Amino acid sequence: MRIENSFIPVEGVGETTERRLWERGVTTWEEFDPAVDVAGVGTTTAERIESFIAEALARLDDGDSAYFDREFPSGERWRLYENFREETCFFDIETTGLDERRDRVTTVSFHQGGETTTLVAGENLTARRLREQFADASLLATFNGARFDVPFLETSFDVEIDTPHLDLMYPAKRIGLSGGLKPIEKQLGIDRDRPDISGRDAVRLWHEYERGSDEALETLVSYNREDTVNLRTLADAVCEALDEQVFVGAPERDGD
């Protein structure tokens, strides 16, 4: 589902009215006709839709993901993914514990445009490098990052992460996938090259590295990178499933 299929940001257009538009064949902005006979779309709402489309087309041409992040309901942020897929930065952190004020970030991996980068504490994990990694992203994607990864990084490095953020844990719940990242991956058939390790294992590996084990760091980094790369597969699967569940016009579109 693309942003251009959405009318829900418009004042007066809720899920029911949007679905009625789709069912009448108005599945994209260009198909909207102010004379369309749809329950809930009177003259005022039609004018609002036209105004929104004009503004949104210009914003989309500019690649202004922040505009759509503001305009869409937070629960519908997944609709931004298809348009900004290639500019999405998937990231995941490892830490020495769960308290961002007491514990430390050990590694952070980023996956964007087919490339994966890992920053390691004591080597290249700095506020400047974090800002550089996020600079080119139109959208961030994490799993439970809104409650964990983002506040941990902001507190630990005094950075502000204000790029639109798709926390995949919430849209996954909408399609019946709950629990941690690894169980959800198994439900979706997402394979891993390495045996699973727990958060406790990640802490142990970091401490082994601090005691001189380069092999422990290699294992930790590999695990962190795989988490990050798999987020893209998860995002593809979750957003495709929501597309089929939500969008009335989905079965008729070419390329799906």
Side-chain angles (χ1 to χ4, degrees), residues 42-234:
T43 302
T44 300
T45 300
E47 290 175 353
R48 288 172 179 162
I49 292 173
E50 286 191 298
S51 178
F52 166 72
I53 291 172
E55 174 77 3
L57 282 170
R59 298 283 191 156
L60 198 55
D61 284 343
D62 291 339
D64 187 354
S65 60
Y67 167 78
F68 296 103
D69 186 56
R70 293 191 301 270
E71 296 298 312
F72 276 68
S74 60
E76 301 300 321
R77 192 171 287 132
W78 64 274
R79 299 191 191 197
L80 277 62
Y81 178 65
E82 184 63 29
N83 292 77
F84 295 106
R85 182 196 304 257
E86 296 309 313
E87 295 85 45
T88 298
C89 177
F90 304 87
F91 77 97
D92 181 73
I93 73 174
E94 299 299 336
T95 69
T96 59
L98 302 177
D99 187 340
E100 68 264 28
R101 300 191 180 280
R102 182 184 63 195
D103 297 308
R104 293 178 294 148
V105 181
T106 57
T107 65
V108 187
S109 287
F110 308 85
H111 183 71
Q112 182 176 350
E115 300 292 330
T116 307
T117 300
T118 301
L119 304 180
V120 178
E123 295 182 6
N124 54 5
L125 178 50
T126 64
R128 179 181 64 82
R129 289 297 302 274
L130 288 172
R131 293 189 187 98
E132 290 173 353
Q133 288 296 144
F134 291 131
D136 295 331
S138 296
L139 184 67
L140 305 180
T142 66
F143 188 88
N144 196 31
R147 295 191 305 182
F148 186 73
D149 302 67
V150 168
F152 226 114
L153 291 179
E154 289 184 329
T155 299
S156 300
F157 295 93
D158 193 26
V159 296
E160 182 179 4
I161 301 174
D162 55 6
T163 304
H165 178 195
L166 174 61
D167 187 333
L168 292 165
M169 183 174 72
Y170 300 103
K173 286 182 178 179
R174 286 185 60 177
I175 59 170
L177 298 172
S178 59
L181 178 60
K182 311 305 182 302
I184 288 176
E185 287 178 354
K186 289 179 181 178
Q187 291 180 65
L188 292 173
I190 300 174
D191 295 325
R192 284 181 168 258
D193 294 331
R194 283 183 171 271
D196 185 24
I197 67 173
S198 67
R200 184 172 297 180
D201 291 327
V203 175
R204 173 183 56 79
L205 288 167
W206 179 256
H207 290 320
E208 289 179 5
Y209 163 65
E210 289 185 312
R211 292 193 294 269
S213 173
D214 290 337
E215 183 179 354
L217 179 61
E218 290 175 4
T219 300
L220 178 61
V221 167
S222 176
Y223 166 73
N224 187 207
R225 290 169 71 88
E226 194 165 28
D227 271 357
T228 307
V229 172
N230 282 0
L231 285 174
R232 171 153 186 163
T233 307
L234 176 62

